[in-house]
Amino acid sequence: MSEEKNLNFIEEIIEEDLANRKYTEVLTRFPPEPNGYLHIGHAKSICLNFNLALKFGGKTNLRFDDTNPVKEDTEYVDSIKEDLQWLGFKWATELYASDYFDQLYNFATQLISKGLAYVDDGSAEEITALKGTPTEPGKDGPYRDRPVEENLRLFEEMKAGKYKDGEKVLRAKIDMAANNMHMRDPIIYRIKHAHHHRTGDAWCIYPMYDFAHGQSDSIEHITHSICTLEFIPHRELYDWFIEKLEIFPSKQYEFARLNMTYTVMSKRKLLQLVEEGYVQSWDDPRMPTISGMRRRGYTAESIRNFCDRIGIAKRENLIDVSLLEFCVREHLNKLASRVMAVLDPVKLVITNYPEGQIEELISENGPDESYGTRKLAFGKELWIEREDFMEEPAKKWFRLAPGALVRLKSAYIVKCEGFVKDNNGTVQEVHCSYLPETQSGNDTSGISVKGTIHWVSAAHAIPAEIRLYDRLFKVENPSQEEGDFKEYINPDSLHVISKAYVEPSLANAAAGSVYQFIRKGYFCVDKESQAPKLVFNRTVSLKDAWAKEVKKS
Ligand code: ATP
Ligand code: MG
């Protein structure tokens, strides 16, 4: 890596290509298959592709890799576009591999005409049997030397629908003894009588990934086609098709996919979680999907920042999800207004506060003036957090306990005078007296206390449902464990608090708005929230184990 410029390995290649005038403009693409929602791994690929183009004054296409009719759907197309826009990226052109079906068909007939492709009547088993193993060469099959004319006729008949699924395939004629198994006459077209989300029933033969992807890159004049490491063995084939078809020389480069702890990242697995009801939807806030993270309150900026921080590597690794949480927290700390919410309420009664009196106190919305201020109603009865009272206080307990003084945030210092329990021994009410001369901002008392607690006026509080999320899996890397990955699902990944109270300023908070609930974490308004029933998701807690780690390094 060239240290002073801090370029990643793909940036170095691009810089060299531009210096050698190999290309005049960098063109990358993001090529999702519309068979699921985008996840954080895709975000990494998106940031990489778009930022490379931005950095070198080029462009990025959005190309739907929609050559597999069975699993694809327009619902996914729409969600992918929405997620990309939300992430903050603008694609140059929206394209579909299915738009190239005619052209790809022509490419295939060109290969046949050159004696470089043939129709094989063998079954999947027969074809596999002749393919050999990584240590043993394959063998030529009985259809390999079919005359060109016959191949052309059969391929046309395949297209015309004369044959059933699996009856015939078109294969490239390369080398059955090649070291690279992908070069042993790979299948390039298969018969599939299936409805396609865009081309409908126009086609019953569909190109395989290897025959569609590189050629689509080439048709669009993509200069740097970036994919994940598992495609390294495909690169030889990618280059072979381009060479034999004599088309624009796009080049493939590989980087390590993102793997993250306590989640899974394959669309096939995520689909199972949705379909089998382990989560509610693709945008369930526990999902590693972009839409799930958005709903949970993660910001686009924090996701981009995360992708930037992890960088790109040539070797597989597993990234700690706490780094992502750290990035989210870091951004929300700047962004979110501070408000008060009580998650586990117990009543606090101020015995010497006049019955029926209401004061409007001024409270700051954030750590500095730029956040502004708001009015906060204060009265005789408040909700406070149950855990902020202790009947028999532990050592160094600075919150409420019989006889103890504590500050109510943005309000007064109160002294605990007693409490009331119900028959089960559960504290029902905490009784305090307040010190009128200790009002925040106007405190003339000279009294200082060590503890400050949050509260909400009982007469003004708005009830809210609060959803607390934990990791979706119990183990760091569920995909690597023995057996089915679903055995490792955390059964307690969602905890719903149905009777919390939030301050009245949140009454009309719009879905998606993010707040810091003082002392409790960052929360956002869920899309299901609708007055009078407010619903909040906990985005991330306040505790940041990573801050320490980052400072240390
Ligand atoms: P999945 O395994 O989730 O089905 P995929 O690779 O089949 O993923 P595509 O829709 O084909 O999904 O991916 C679009 C692009 O995103 C590809 O270029 C792919 O390499 C990239 N991508 C997918 N998953 C990751 C990941 N975990 N990290 C980085 N890039 C990824
Ligand atoms: Mg794929």
Side-chain angles (χ1 to χ4, degrees):
M1 229 194 247
S2 68
E3 284 302 323
E4 63 283 58
K5 276 200 181 162
N6 228 346
L7 297 183
N8 66 44
F9 72 93
I10 298 178
E11 291 167 344
E12 284 184 357
I13 291 167
I14 294 183
E15 203 171 63
E16 211 178 298
D17 287 350
L18 289 173
N20 296 335
R21 302 194 173 273
K22 204 162 153 190
Y23 312 100
T24 50
E25 189 183 35
V26 174
L27 189 59
T28 59
R29 87 287 173 260
F30 174 63
E33 184 178 353
N35 62 350
Y37 282 62
L38 296 183
H39 52 61
I40 183 78
H42 292 114
K44 181 175 176 182
S45 167
I46 290 166
C47 290
L48 177 60
N49 279 295
F50 279 86
N51 286 334
L52 280 175
L54 283 173
K55 187 159 187 167
F56 294 96
K59 289 188 205 135
T60 305
N61 284 343
L62 167 59
R63 182 198 320 135
F64 290 101
D65 217 336
D66 59 347
T67 54
N68 183 0
V70 188
K71 295 181 188 159
E72 297 164 0
D73 199 275
T74 43
E75 174 197 343
Y76 299 131
V77 169
D78 295 341
S79 77
I80 289 168
K81 292 201 290 188
E82 188 186 346
D83 289 350
L84 261 169
Q85 276 164 335
W86 178 78
L87 274 174
F89 294 106
K90 274 205 181 96
W91 54 88
T93 319
E94 177 184 333
L95 299 154
Y96 294 81
S98 57
D99 287 343
Y100 308 139
F101 280 168
D102 280 311
Q103 207 160 345
L104 294 170
Y105 179 82
N106 288 337
F107 284 153
T109 56
Q110 279 174 41
L111 286 186
I112 297 174
S113 301
K114 290 183 179 180
L116 295 173
Y118 61 96
V119 173
D120 195 319
D121 300 357
S123 66
E125 295 73 36
E126 285 160 354
I127 289 175
T128 308
L130 290 172
K131 201 140 197 196
T133 66
T135 50
E136 257 174 79
K139 291 192 191 80
D140 291 358
Y143 307 99
R144 200 170 194 268
D145 290 319
R146 261 186 170 146
V148 168
E149 289 314 315
E150 187 181 335
N151 281 320
L152 284 172
R153 178 176 54 78
L154 291 172
F155 187 49
E156 208 177 308
E157 287 174 359
M158 280 167 66
K159 180 190 183 217
K162 189 162 174 193
Y163 306 108
K164 289 200 283 289
D165 287 8
E167 240 180 274
K168 288 185 172 20
V169 289
L170 184 70
R171 300 176 71 176
K173 188 171 175 178
I174 308 180
D175 179 4
M176 286 306 289
N179 279 331
N180 181 347
M181 299 272 291
H182 290 274
M183 299 300 278
R184 295 183 190 171
D185 292 10
I187 295 172
I188 58 180
Y189 263 92
R190 61 190 165 148
I191 300 171
K192 202 149 207 153
H193 291 269
H195 190 83
H196 186 277
H197 76 114
R198 295 189 88 236
T199 58
D201 298 315
W203 292 86
C204 62
I205 54 170
Y206 290 94
M208 301 298 284
Y209 171 87
D210 283 314
F211 196 68
H213 200 93
Q215 279 79 304
S216 301
D217 285 342
S218 181
I219 290 168
E220 294 170 20
H221 287 202
I222 299 299
T223 54
H224 300 81
S225 172
I226 297 158
C227 60
T228 42
L229 293 181
E230 63 274 23
F231 289 98
I232 290 178
H234 297 248
R235 195 198 312 139
E236 196 178 350
L237 187 53
Y238 183 104
D239 291 337
W240 190 87
F241 287 131
I242 285 178
E243 184 200 317
K244 299 302 174 197
L245 292 167
E246 299 173 71
I247 52 179
F248 181 84
S250 299
K251 284 277 173 200
Q252 174 184 305
Y253 302 94
E254 308 86 10
F255 74 104
R257 65 193 296 116
L258 167 65
N259 302 302
M260 205 166 65
T261 54
Y262 299 101
T263 193
V264 291
M265 210 89 91
S266 113
K267 283 183 280 189
R268 188 177 53 80
K269 289 181 180 151
L270 296 175
L271 181 65
Q272 284 181 53
L273 295 178
V274 176
E275 286 188 334
E276 295 170 30
Y278 291 99
V279 295
Q280 259 132 40
S281 52
W282 281 98
D283 73 348
D284 187 300
R286 290 167 290 181
M287 291 281 270
T289 52
I290 306 295
S291 50
M293 292 181 173
R294 174 168 64 233
R295 183 167 170 194
R296 182 154 173 175
Y298 287 20
T299 60
E301 181 176 320
S302 55
I303 292 175
R304 292 196 306 264
N305 194 359
F306 167 73
C307 292
D308 212 41
R309 268 181 211 218
I310 55 179
I312 62 162
K314 285 195 215 178
R315 207 173 295 165
E316 290 280 347
N317 55 5
L318 182 65
I319 302 286
D320 192 330
V321 65
S322 348
L323 177 60
L324 174 58
E325 289 166 355
F326 171 80
C327 294
V328 171
R329 205 176 274 124
E330 185 181 52
H331 188 212
L332 294 184
N333 182 39
K334 289 187 246 160
L335 196 74
S337 287
R338 275 60 169 167
V339 295
M340 295 204 265
V342 176
L343 274 49
D344 183 12
V346 67
K347 188 74 72 66
L348 182 148
V349 180
I350 304 176
T351 48
N352 61 340
Y353 197 83
E355 197 79 46
Q357 177 173 308
I358 301 295
E359 274 180 276
E360 293 228 298
L361 303 174
I362 302 294
S363 185
E364 272 138 28
N365 295 339
D368 65 58
E369 283 171 9
S370 68
Y371 292 76
T373 58
R374 69 187 185 289
K375 285 184 187 156
L376 229 106
F378 184 83
K380 189 178 177 72
E381 295 198 348
L382 311 175
W383 294 114
I384 61 163
E385 217 63 71
R386 181 168 293 279
E387 63 176 18
D388 283 337
F389 173 77
M390 240 181 149
E391 189 180 335
E392 286 166 36
K395 256 193 176 172
K396 296 203 175 169
W397 175 259
F398 300 124
R399 292 175 266 165
L400 281 173
L405 292 166
V406 84
R407 175 167 291 283
L408 297 173
K409 169 86 184 157
S410 301
Y412 299 94
I413 292 177
V414 292
K415 181 178 183 192
C416 181
E417 309 284 3
F419 54 92
V420 178
K421 280 185 174 178
D422 66 11
N423 293 340
N424 304 322
T426 310
V427 175
Q428 284 289 299
E429 285 181 1
V430 178
H431 290 179
C432 292
S433 56
Y434 85 120
L435 285 60
E437 70 283 12
T438 59
Q439 194 190 88
S440 287
N442 289 314
D443 189 340
T444 54
S445 71
I447 301 171
S448 79
V449 292
K450 283 204 167 130
T452 300
I453 64 170
H454 60 276
W455 53 273
V456 187
S457 161
H460 304 87
I462 302 180
E465 174 178 313
I466 297 190
R467 300 175 183 167
L468 305 177
Y469 302 102
D470 199 353
R471 314 203 136 139
L472 192 48
F473 289 89
K474 293 181 287 190
V475 295
E476 275 205 335
N477 198 350
S479 303
Q480 295 282 302
E481 297 285 339
E482 231 171 84
D484 186 19
F485 77 101
K486 285 172 295 191
E487 288 169 30
Y488 302 93
I489 288 180
N490 173 7
D492 302 314
S493 59
L494 170 63
H495 176 64
V496 178
I497 298 176
S498 53
K499 280 199 89 175
Y501 288 108
V502 301
E503 62 168 72
S505 72
L506 298 183
N508 299 309
S513 327
V514 204
Y515 298 91
Q516 186 192 103
F517 288 178
I518 290 169
R519 301 175 65 222
K520 287 285 146 191
Y522 294 97
F523 292 77
C524 84
V525 182
D526 189 69
K527 66 176 188 185
E528 288 172 358
S529 182
Q530 198 157 35
K533 197 191 170 217
L534 300 183
V535 181
F536 291 87
N537 298 313
R538 182 170 66 196
T539 307
V540 66
S541 62
L542 286 177
K543 166 189 76 109
D544 52 358
W546 261 87
K548 287 183 218 125
E549 293 297 315
V550 171
K551 266 188 206 134
K552 261 192 263 162
S553 61

